[in-house]
Amino acid sequence: MAGGGARGVEGGGTRGGDGVDGPLAWAGYGGSRERAAARTGEDESVLYGTATVGGHRAVLLAFEFGFLGGSLGRATGDRLTAAYALAEAVRAPLVSLVATGGSRMQEGMVALTQLQRVAAASVRLRAAGQAQIAVVRDPTTGGGWATVGAGADVVLALPQAQVGFAGSRVRPADADPHAYSAEGQLAAGQIDAIVAPDELGTALAGWLEVLDASAVAGRPAPVPDAVSDTALPATGWDAVQQARDTARPRAEAYLDVYFRRRMPLVGDRCGATDAGVLCGFGMHGDLPVAYVAQRGTPTRPAGYRTAARIVRLADRLGIPVLTLVDTPGAANDAEAERAGAGAAIADAFGAVAGARVPITTLVIGEGGSGGALALASPDNTHVTPDSYFSVIAPEAAAAILKRGPDEVRATADQLRLRPQDLVELGIARSIVGVEDRER
């Protein structure tokens, strides 16, 4: 494997036994398979087995594009489903190195229905609590992309790889080629990272470490240490001003201190990304932790969908979650409404409410209304001295109550949004960094 780190591949599946010219008696198909086997040294377009990557055990599934373009037939489906079953049996993640042109025409609908078999095998592996990581190579198109590739929990891509459901010979003649590239799919929120071949081994080893819940044993993510030494605010308006201070520490500062290794995930898998929300998994000492961190900007629908995706993945794998809340509120422009802001926020609320793993929240700046609350733990939320949490921003509250600008500061006090107010009201459990101060 490019980049090193993989060894000890065992297994490989069984021969397909489709007959000379396959289930459709497609003339010449048997000869094409024989030539492909002679050229590649393989008797099918995929092989699989157990492997060790950076000291972490996994099941490795690899496509051989030189065998009929890495296409999927009935025997390929046998191999693919066997690989998923092996990962389930040995309780190891599945790492798929994908390069395919889609379903095999010489087997017709018999080939196409293998996608249903793969989807069912993937669902079973998810239910067993094992992660699926895909590395999409050049090209990855058709049903292989729409199942093994895009269906994985983590999707990595090699630079400039052709990636898309439509292959180069069947897409519209005037289609933008960037949309069918790894770079285009990254921008559209469909893959998580582009990894150079010589860095792939290290990247996979990192992912296998942070997705391994064997050392968790129900432990919650510890509350991050304080990064700033800001004093507690005297008034509600002071709290708002401190949270809005551009010099205040942001999410990156907290994440850099908290994690010794971070592996980012991006994209909502619906066509968009939100740079204002950092998501992924990392190692806090020996504890893997999933994280969702707002960066102080209005959170867009893609940010909420990505956050919900990470929380649900962590819940399935049994990994605790850390959320850092910092937003003036959800984006409320027309574009956000067209992108389904309400549904996206509801999705985030639902993911947090439905999580069985512990969620730890630290409010590190602005806690603006439901746009902030959607990512907050209902029973384990903490605050920093330079943060506030409010039903709505004081300016908006004053406007709704038909108060003038001169009453905004008094309204901020009435909202009781200061860190010490939040603890007194039972919304927050502690103020990080000032536990020994008078509140």
Side-chain angles (χ1 to χ4, degrees), residues 63-317:
F63 282 70
E64 171 53 75
F65 189 76
F67 192 102
L68 301 182
S71 57
L72 279 64
R74 183 168 60 191
T76 325
D78 292 341
R79 296 268 184 100
L80 291 170
T81 55
Y84 283 87
L86 177 60
E88 183 180 352
V90 302
R91 301 194 59 79
L94 177 68
V95 176
S96 301
L97 308 177
V98 190
T100 175
S103 299
R104 199 169 294 170
M105 290 180 294
Q106 297 94 329
E107 295 190 24
M109 283 301 297
V110 173
L112 189 64
T113 56
Q114 303 310 306
L115 305 182
Q116 294 173 318
R117 295 180 65 197
V118 172
S122 176
V123 168
R124 289 191 294 269
L125 186 57
R126 287 176 185 273
Q130 296 303 317
Q132 299 174 40
I133 304 170
V135 179
V136 292
R137 300 141 61 205
D138 186 34
T140 297
T141 62
W145 163 239
T147 51
V148 183
D153 301 311
V154 178
V155 184
L156 311 177
L158 297 187
Q160 300 180 348
Q162 179 188 171
V163 182
F165 185 65
S168 59
R169 297 183 183 181
V170 296
R171 67 182 65 138
D174 60 350
D176 177 9
H178 181 70
Y180 303 87
S181 68
E183 291 73 14
Q185 296 286 8
L186 177 65
Q190 308 295 349
I191 66 174
D192 293 298
I194 296 175
V195 182
D198 60 353
E199 298 173 355
L200 184 56
T202 300
L204 288 174
W207 275 113
L208 291 172
E209 180 184 30
V210 301
L211 297 179
D212 182 3
S214 60
V216 172
R219 289 189 288 166
V223 181
D225 294 330
V227 175
S228 70
D229 56 1
T230 306
L232 285 172
T235 69
W237 186 246
D238 289 339
V240 173
Q241 293 298 94
Q242 288 184 177
R244 292 176 179 174
D245 187 346
T246 57
R248 160 181 69 76
R250 304 287 166 155
E252 291 91 336
Y254 284 90
L255 295 175
D256 287 345
V257 171
Y258 192 84
F259 289 110
R260 66 172 175 82
R261 161 176 269 169
R262 271 197 290 143
M263 307 296 290
L265 291 172
V266 300
D268 64 355
R269 298 299 187 262
C270 296
T273 63
D274 181 1
V277 181
L278 301 175
C279 297
F281 287 74
M283 294 301 298
H284 177 76
D286 66 345
L287 179 67
V289 175
Y291 64 89
V292 175
Q294 292 169 313
R295 303 177 72 188
T297 59
T299 301
R300 307 204 64 80
Y304 292 112
R305 292 191 179 102
T306 306
R309 171 190 160 211
I310 273 60
V311 171
R312 290 194 175 102
L313 174 57
D315 190 52
R316 202 184 83 230
L317 299 178

Side-chain angles (χ1 to χ4, degrees), residues 3 54 57 170 222 229 293 309 319 321 329 352 357 381 387 392 400 424:
R57 184 174 172 83
V170 296
D229 56 1
R309 171 190 160 211
I319 294 174
V321 178
V352 170
V357 295
T381 289
S387 70
I392 196 169
I400 291 171
E424 185 176 336

Side-chain angles (χ1 to χ4, degrees), residues 268 270 272 300-302 305 331-344:
D268 64 355
C270 296
R300 307 204 64 80
R305 292 191 179 102
N332 59 5
D333 52 46
E335 180 184 352
E337 292 298 334
R338 285 192 291 267

